[in-house]
Short mmCIF file of all heavy atoms in Angstrom, two decimals:
data_model
loop_
_atom_site.label_atom_id
_atom_site.label_comp_id
_atom_site.label_asym_id
_atom_site.label_seq_id
_atom_site.Cartn_x
_atom_site.Cartn_y
_atom_site.Cartn_z
N ALA A 478 -4.74 -24.76 12.47
CA ALA A 478 -3.88 -25.00 11.30
C ALA A 478 -4.72 -25.49 10.13
O ALA A 478 -4.52 -25.06 8.98
CB ALA A 478 -2.79 -26.01 11.64
N SER A 479 -5.70 -26.37 10.41
CA SER A 479 -6.50 -26.88 9.28
C SER A 479 -7.43 -25.78 8.76
O SER A 479 -7.68 -25.69 7.56
CB SER A 479 -7.27 -28.15 9.66
OG SER A 479 -8.31 -27.82 10.52
N GLN A 480 -7.89 -24.89 9.63
CA GLN A 480 -8.69 -23.75 9.15
C GLN A 480 -7.84 -22.80 8.31
O GLN A 480 -8.29 -22.30 7.27
CB GLN A 480 -9.27 -22.97 10.34
CG GLN A 480 -10.38 -23.72 11.07
CD GLN A 480 -10.81 -22.96 12.32
OE1 GLN A 480 -10.13 -22.07 12.82
NE2 GLN A 480 -11.97 -23.36 12.85
N ALA A 481 -6.60 -22.57 8.77
CA ALA A 481 -5.71 -21.67 8.02
C ALA A 481 -5.45 -22.25 6.64
O ALA A 481 -5.47 -21.53 5.62
CB ALA A 481 -4.39 -21.47 8.78
N ARG A 482 -5.20 -23.56 6.58
CA ARG A 482 -4.92 -24.22 5.29
C ARG A 482 -6.15 -24.14 4.39
O ARG A 482 -6.04 -23.89 3.19
CB ARG A 482 -4.53 -25.66 5.55
CG ARG A 482 -3.86 -26.31 4.36
CD ARG A 482 -3.47 -27.75 4.65
NE ARG A 482 -2.48 -27.87 5.69
CZ ARG A 482 -2.69 -28.45 6.87
NH1 ARG A 482 -3.87 -28.97 7.16
NH2 ARG A 482 -1.74 -28.53 7.76
N ASP A 483 -7.32 -24.31 4.98
CA ASP A 483 -8.55 -24.23 4.19
C ASP A 483 -8.71 -22.82 3.59
O ASP A 483 -9.05 -22.67 2.41
CB ASP A 483 -9.76 -24.57 5.10
CG ASP A 483 -11.06 -24.52 4.32
OD1 ASP A 483 -11.26 -25.43 3.49
OD2 ASP A 483 -11.84 -23.56 4.51
N LEU A 484 -8.43 -21.82 4.40
CA LEU A 484 -8.54 -20.44 3.90
C LEU A 484 -7.54 -20.20 2.77
O LEU A 484 -7.88 -19.63 1.73
CB LEU A 484 -8.31 -19.45 5.06
CG LEU A 484 -8.39 -17.97 4.68
CD1 LEU A 484 -9.72 -17.61 4.04
CD2 LEU A 484 -8.17 -17.09 5.93
N LEU A 485 -6.29 -20.66 2.97
CA LEU A 485 -5.27 -20.51 1.91
C LEU A 485 -5.72 -21.19 0.62
O LEU A 485 -5.54 -20.65 -0.47
CB LEU A 485 -3.94 -21.11 2.38
CG LEU A 485 -3.14 -20.24 3.34
CD1 LEU A 485 -2.02 -21.06 3.99
CD2 LEU A 485 -2.54 -19.05 2.61
N SER A 486 -6.33 -22.37 0.76
CA SER A 486 -6.73 -23.11 -0.46
C SER A 486 -7.84 -22.36 -1.20
O SER A 486 -8.00 -22.52 -2.40
CB SER A 486 -7.19 -24.53 -0.10
OG SER A 486 -8.47 -24.47 0.52
N LYS A 487 -8.57 -21.51 -0.48
CA LYS A 487 -9.64 -20.74 -1.12
C LYS A 487 -9.12 -19.40 -1.66
O LYS A 487 -9.74 -18.80 -2.54
CB LYS A 487 -10.78 -20.52 -0.14
CG LYS A 487 -11.48 -21.85 0.15
CD LYS A 487 -12.52 -21.79 1.22
CE LYS A 487 -13.27 -23.11 1.25
NZ LYS A 487 -13.78 -23.47 2.55
N MET A 488 -8.01 -18.94 -1.08
CA MET A 488 -7.43 -17.66 -1.56
C MET A 488 -6.50 -17.88 -2.74
O MET A 488 -6.45 -17.06 -3.65
CB MET A 488 -6.64 -17.00 -0.43
CG MET A 488 -7.49 -16.40 0.67
SD MET A 488 -6.42 -15.77 1.98
CE MET A 488 -7.43 -14.47 2.63
N LEU A 489 -5.71 -18.95 -2.69
CA LEU A 489 -4.71 -19.17 -3.74
C LEU A 489 -5.33 -19.94 -4.90
O LEU A 489 -5.01 -21.10 -5.16
CB LEU A 489 -3.50 -19.91 -3.16
CG LEU A 489 -2.75 -19.14 -2.06
CD1 LEU A 489 -1.62 -19.96 -1.49
CD2 LEU A 489 -2.22 -17.80 -2.58
N VAL A 490 -6.27 -19.29 -5.55
CA VAL A 490 -6.99 -19.89 -6.68
C VAL A 490 -6.69 -19.03 -7.90
O VAL A 490 -6.86 -17.81 -7.85
CB VAL A 490 -8.51 -19.92 -6.36
CG1 VAL A 490 -9.31 -20.33 -7.58
CG2 VAL A 490 -8.79 -20.85 -5.18
N ILE A 491 -6.22 -19.66 -8.96
CA ILE A 491 -5.79 -18.88 -10.13
C ILE A 491 -6.95 -18.10 -10.75
O ILE A 491 -6.82 -16.93 -11.09
CB ILE A 491 -5.11 -19.81 -11.17
CG1 ILE A 491 -3.77 -20.29 -10.60
CG2 ILE A 491 -4.92 -19.09 -12.51
CD1 ILE A 491 -2.98 -21.21 -11.51
N ASP A 492 -8.10 -18.77 -10.86
CA ASP A 492 -9.26 -18.14 -11.50
C ASP A 492 -9.93 -17.20 -10.48
O ASP A 492 -10.54 -17.65 -9.51
CB ASP A 492 -10.23 -19.24 -11.96
CG ASP A 492 -11.38 -18.67 -12.77
OD1 ASP A 492 -11.63 -17.45 -12.68
OD2 ASP A 492 -12.01 -19.45 -13.50
N ALA A 493 -9.82 -15.89 -10.74
CA ALA A 493 -10.33 -14.91 -9.77
C ALA A 493 -11.82 -15.09 -9.50
O ALA A 493 -12.29 -14.80 -8.40
CB ALA A 493 -10.05 -13.50 -10.27
N SER A 494 -12.57 -15.58 -10.50
CA SER A 494 -14.02 -15.71 -10.30
C SER A 494 -14.32 -16.87 -9.33
O SER A 494 -15.42 -16.96 -8.79
CB SER A 494 -14.73 -15.93 -11.63
OG SER A 494 -14.42 -17.21 -12.13
N LYS A 495 -13.35 -17.75 -9.11
CA LYS A 495 -13.57 -18.87 -8.18
C LYS A 495 -12.86 -18.66 -6.84
O LYS A 495 -12.93 -19.50 -5.95
CB LYS A 495 -13.08 -20.17 -8.82
CG LYS A 495 -13.84 -20.49 -10.09
CD LYS A 495 -13.52 -21.87 -10.58
CE LYS A 495 -14.41 -22.17 -11.79
NZ LYS A 495 -13.67 -22.88 -12.83
N ARG A 496 -12.17 -17.55 -6.73
CA ARG A 496 -11.41 -17.24 -5.52
C ARG A 496 -12.34 -16.69 -4.45
O ARG A 496 -13.33 -16.03 -4.77
CB ARG A 496 -10.35 -16.20 -5.88
CG ARG A 496 -9.23 -16.04 -4.90
CD ARG A 496 -8.24 -15.01 -5.41
NE ARG A 496 -7.67 -15.36 -6.70
CZ ARG A 496 -7.29 -14.48 -7.63
NH1 ARG A 496 -7.43 -13.17 -7.43
NH2 ARG A 496 -6.80 -14.89 -8.78
N ILE A 497 -12.02 -16.93 -3.18
CA ILE A 497 -12.85 -16.41 -2.08
C ILE A 497 -12.83 -14.87 -2.13
O ILE A 497 -11.78 -14.27 -2.44
CB ILE A 497 -12.33 -16.95 -0.72
CG1 ILE A 497 -13.33 -16.71 0.40
CG2 ILE A 497 -10.97 -16.38 -0.37
CD1 ILE A 497 -12.98 -17.45 1.71
N SER A 498 -13.98 -14.25 -1.88
CA SER A 498 -14.02 -12.78 -1.89
C SER A 498 -13.59 -12.26 -0.51
O SER A 498 -13.52 -13.03 0.46
CB SER A 498 -15.44 -12.30 -2.21
OG SER A 498 -16.29 -12.64 -1.14
N VAL A 499 -13.36 -10.96 -0.43
CA VAL A 499 -12.97 -10.37 0.85
C VAL A 499 -14.09 -10.58 1.88
O VAL A 499 -13.85 -10.96 3.03
CB VAL A 499 -12.64 -8.87 0.68
CG1 VAL A 499 -12.44 -8.20 2.02
CG2 VAL A 499 -11.40 -8.71 -0.20
N ASP A 500 -15.34 -10.37 1.46
CA ASP A 500 -16.47 -10.55 2.39
C ASP A 500 -16.55 -11.98 2.88
O ASP A 500 -16.79 -12.23 4.07
CB ASP A 500 -17.79 -10.16 1.70
CG ASP A 500 -17.94 -8.65 1.65
OD1 ASP A 500 -17.52 -8.00 2.62
OD2 ASP A 500 -18.46 -8.14 0.65
N GLU A 501 -16.37 -12.92 1.96
CA GLU A 501 -16.43 -14.34 2.37
C GLU A 501 -15.27 -14.67 3.30
O GLU A 501 -15.45 -15.39 4.29
CB GLU A 501 -16.37 -15.25 1.13
CG GLU A 501 -17.65 -15.24 0.31
CD GLU A 501 -17.45 -15.76 -1.11
OE1 GLU A 501 -16.29 -15.98 -1.53
OE2 GLU A 501 -18.45 -15.92 -1.81
N ALA A 502 -14.09 -14.14 3.01
CA ALA A 502 -12.93 -14.42 3.86
C ALA A 502 -13.16 -13.89 5.28
O ALA A 502 -12.76 -14.51 6.26
CB ALA A 502 -11.67 -13.81 3.25
N LEU A 503 -13.83 -12.73 5.37
CA LEU A 503 -14.12 -12.17 6.70
C LEU A 503 -15.06 -13.07 7.51
O LEU A 503 -15.10 -13.00 8.73
CB LEU A 503 -14.70 -10.76 6.56
CG LEU A 503 -13.67 -9.66 6.28
CD1 LEU A 503 -14.33 -8.43 5.67
CD2 LEU A 503 -12.92 -9.29 7.57
N GLN A 504 -15.83 -13.90 6.80
CA GLN A 504 -16.76 -14.82 7.47
C GLN A 504 -16.12 -16.19 7.71
O GLN A 504 -16.73 -17.06 8.33
CB GLN A 504 -18.02 -15.03 6.62
CG GLN A 504 -18.81 -13.78 6.32
CD GLN A 504 -19.45 -13.18 7.56
OE1 GLN A 504 -19.43 -13.79 8.63
NE2 GLN A 504 -20.01 -11.99 7.43
N HIS A 505 -14.91 -16.40 7.20
CA HIS A 505 -14.28 -17.72 7.34
C HIS A 505 -13.96 -17.99 8.81
O HIS A 505 -13.56 -17.08 9.55
CB HIS A 505 -12.99 -17.74 6.49
CG HIS A 505 -12.37 -19.08 6.39
ND1 HIS A 505 -11.54 -19.60 7.37
CD2 HIS A 505 -12.48 -20.05 5.45
CE1 HIS A 505 -11.15 -20.82 7.02
NE2 HIS A 505 -11.71 -21.11 5.85
N PRO A 506 -14.11 -19.26 9.26
CA PRO A 506 -13.90 -19.58 10.68
C PRO A 506 -12.54 -19.14 11.23
O PRO A 506 -12.42 -18.82 12.42
CB PRO A 506 -14.03 -21.10 10.75
CG PRO A 506 -14.60 -21.55 9.45
CD PRO A 506 -14.59 -20.41 8.48
N TYR A 507 -11.51 -19.12 10.35
CA TYR A 507 -10.19 -18.70 10.86
C TYR A 507 -10.17 -17.21 11.20
O TYR A 507 -9.39 -16.76 12.02
CB TYR A 507 -9.12 -19.00 9.79
CG TYR A 507 -7.70 -18.90 10.29
CD1 TYR A 507 -7.23 -19.76 11.29
CD2 TYR A 507 -6.80 -17.95 9.77
CE1 TYR A 507 -5.92 -19.67 11.76
CE2 TYR A 507 -5.49 -17.87 10.23
CZ TYR A 507 -5.06 -18.73 11.23
OH TYR A 507 -3.77 -18.66 11.69
N ILE A 508 -11.05 -16.44 10.56
CA ILE A 508 -11.02 -14.98 10.65
C ILE A 508 -12.18 -14.42 11.48
O ILE A 508 -12.02 -13.43 12.20
CB ILE A 508 -11.12 -14.35 9.23
CG1 ILE A 508 -9.99 -14.88 8.33
CG2 ILE A 508 -11.13 -12.84 9.25
CD1 ILE A 508 -8.62 -14.42 8.70
N ASN A 509 -13.36 -15.05 11.37
CA ASN A 509 -14.57 -14.38 11.88
C ASN A 509 -14.62 -14.25 13.40
O ASN A 509 -15.47 -13.55 13.93
CB ASN A 509 -15.85 -15.01 11.31
CG ASN A 509 -16.14 -16.38 11.89
OD1 ASN A 509 -15.41 -16.86 12.76
ND2 ASN A 509 -17.20 -17.02 11.41
N VAL A 510 -13.67 -14.88 14.10
CA VAL A 510 -13.59 -14.68 15.56
C VAL A 510 -13.32 -13.21 15.90
O VAL A 510 -13.61 -12.76 17.01
CB VAL A 510 -12.48 -15.55 16.18
CG1 VAL A 510 -12.89 -17.00 16.22
CG2 VAL A 510 -11.15 -15.41 15.42
N TRP A 511 -12.78 -12.47 14.96
CA TRP A 511 -12.43 -11.07 15.23
C TRP A 511 -13.50 -10.10 14.73
O TRP A 511 -13.37 -8.89 14.93
CB TRP A 511 -11.11 -10.72 14.51
CG TRP A 511 -9.96 -11.55 14.97
CD1 TRP A 511 -9.37 -12.56 14.29
CD2 TRP A 511 -9.28 -11.47 16.23
NE1 TRP A 511 -8.35 -13.11 15.03
CE2 TRP A 511 -8.27 -12.45 16.22
CE3 TRP A 511 -9.42 -10.65 17.36
CZ2 TRP A 511 -7.41 -12.64 17.30
CZ3 TRP A 511 -8.56 -10.84 18.43
CH2 TRP A 511 -7.58 -11.83 18.39
N TYR A 512 -14.52 -10.61 14.07
CA TYR A 512 -15.47 -9.75 13.33
C TYR A 512 -16.08 -8.67 14.23
O TYR A 512 -16.73 -8.95 15.23
CB TYR A 512 -16.58 -10.62 12.72
CG TYR A 512 -17.33 -9.92 11.60
CD1 TYR A 512 -17.03 -10.18 10.27
CD2 TYR A 512 -18.34 -9.01 11.88
CE1 TYR A 512 -17.71 -9.54 9.24
CE2 TYR A 512 -19.02 -8.36 10.87
CZ TYR A 512 -18.70 -8.64 9.55
OH TYR A 512 -19.37 -8.02 8.54
N ASP A 513 -15.87 -7.42 13.85
CA ASP A 513 -16.47 -6.29 14.57
C ASP A 513 -17.09 -5.37 13.50
O ASP A 513 -16.36 -4.80 12.68
CB ASP A 513 -15.38 -5.54 15.36
CG ASP A 513 -15.92 -4.28 16.03
OD1 ASP A 513 -17.07 -3.88 15.75
OD2 ASP A 513 -15.17 -3.68 16.83
N PRO A 514 -18.43 -5.25 13.51
CA PRO A 514 -19.09 -4.48 12.44
C PRO A 514 -18.53 -3.06 12.31
O PRO A 514 -18.44 -2.53 11.20
CB PRO A 514 -20.56 -4.44 12.87
CG PRO A 514 -20.71 -5.58 13.82
CD PRO A 514 -19.37 -5.81 14.46
N ALA A 515 -18.12 -2.45 13.42
CA ALA A 515 -17.61 -1.07 13.34
C ALA A 515 -16.34 -1.01 12.48
O ALA A 515 -16.07 0.00 11.82
CB ALA A 515 -17.32 -0.54 14.74
N GLU A 516 -15.55 -2.10 12.49
CA GLU A 516 -14.31 -2.11 11.70
C GLU A 516 -14.56 -2.57 10.27
O GLU A 516 -14.01 -2.06 9.32
CB GLU A 516 -13.29 -3.05 12.36
CG GLU A 516 -12.83 -2.55 13.71
CD GLU A 516 -12.17 -3.64 14.56
OE1 GLU A 516 -12.26 -4.84 14.22
OE2 GLU A 516 -11.59 -3.27 15.59
N VAL A 517 -15.45 -3.59 10.17
CA VAL A 517 -15.66 -4.20 8.85
C VAL A 517 -16.59 -3.35 7.99
O VAL A 517 -16.38 -3.19 6.79
CB VAL A 517 -16.26 -5.62 9.00
CG1 VAL A 517 -16.49 -6.26 7.64
CG2 VAL A 517 -15.36 -6.51 9.85
N GLU A 518 -17.59 -2.78 8.64
CA GLU A 518 -18.64 -2.14 7.84
C GLU A 518 -18.59 -0.62 7.90
O GLU A 518 -19.59 0.05 7.66
CB GLU A 518 -20.01 -2.64 8.33
CG GLU A 518 -20.20 -4.14 8.04
CD GLU A 518 -21.14 -4.82 9.03
OE1 GLU A 518 -21.99 -4.13 9.61
OE2 GLU A 518 -21.00 -6.05 9.21
N ALA A 519 -17.42 -0.06 8.23
CA ALA A 519 -17.29 1.41 8.26
C ALA A 519 -17.66 1.96 6.88
O ALA A 519 -17.28 1.37 5.86
CB ALA A 519 -15.84 1.79 8.59
N PRO A 520 -18.43 3.07 6.82
CA PRO A 520 -18.85 3.59 5.51
C PRO A 520 -17.64 3.92 4.63
O PRO A 520 -16.67 4.48 5.13
CB PRO A 520 -19.65 4.85 5.85
CG PRO A 520 -19.46 5.09 7.29
CD PRO A 520 -18.89 3.89 7.93
N PRO A 521 -17.71 3.56 3.35
CA PRO A 521 -16.55 3.80 2.48
C PRO A 521 -16.32 5.28 2.24
O PRO A 521 -17.27 6.07 2.27
CB PRO A 521 -16.93 3.09 1.17
CG PRO A 521 -18.40 2.98 1.20
CD PRO A 521 -18.82 2.93 2.63
N PRO A 522 -15.06 5.67 2.04
CA PRO A 522 -14.78 7.08 1.77
C PRO A 522 -15.29 7.49 0.40
O PRO A 522 -15.46 6.66 -0.48
CB PRO A 522 -13.24 7.11 1.77
CG PRO A 522 -12.82 5.72 1.43
CD PRO A 522 -13.88 4.81 1.96
#
Side-chain angles (χ1 to χ4, degrees):
S479 73
Q480 289 174 344
R482 196 180 296 114
D483 181 71
L484 179 57
L485 282 167
S486 74
K487 291 173 171 150
M488 287 176 152
L489 298 177
V490 171
I491 291 180
D492 187 341
S494 70
K495 299 190 175 140
R496 196 178 301 148
I497 193 169
S498 68
V499 172
D500 282 324
E501 288 161 351
L503 281 160
Q504 301 293 352
H505 188 277
Y507 193 63
I508 303 292
N509 72 2
V510 286
W511 300 106
Y512 198 99
D513 175 351
E516 294 162 348
V517 179
E518 294 152 25

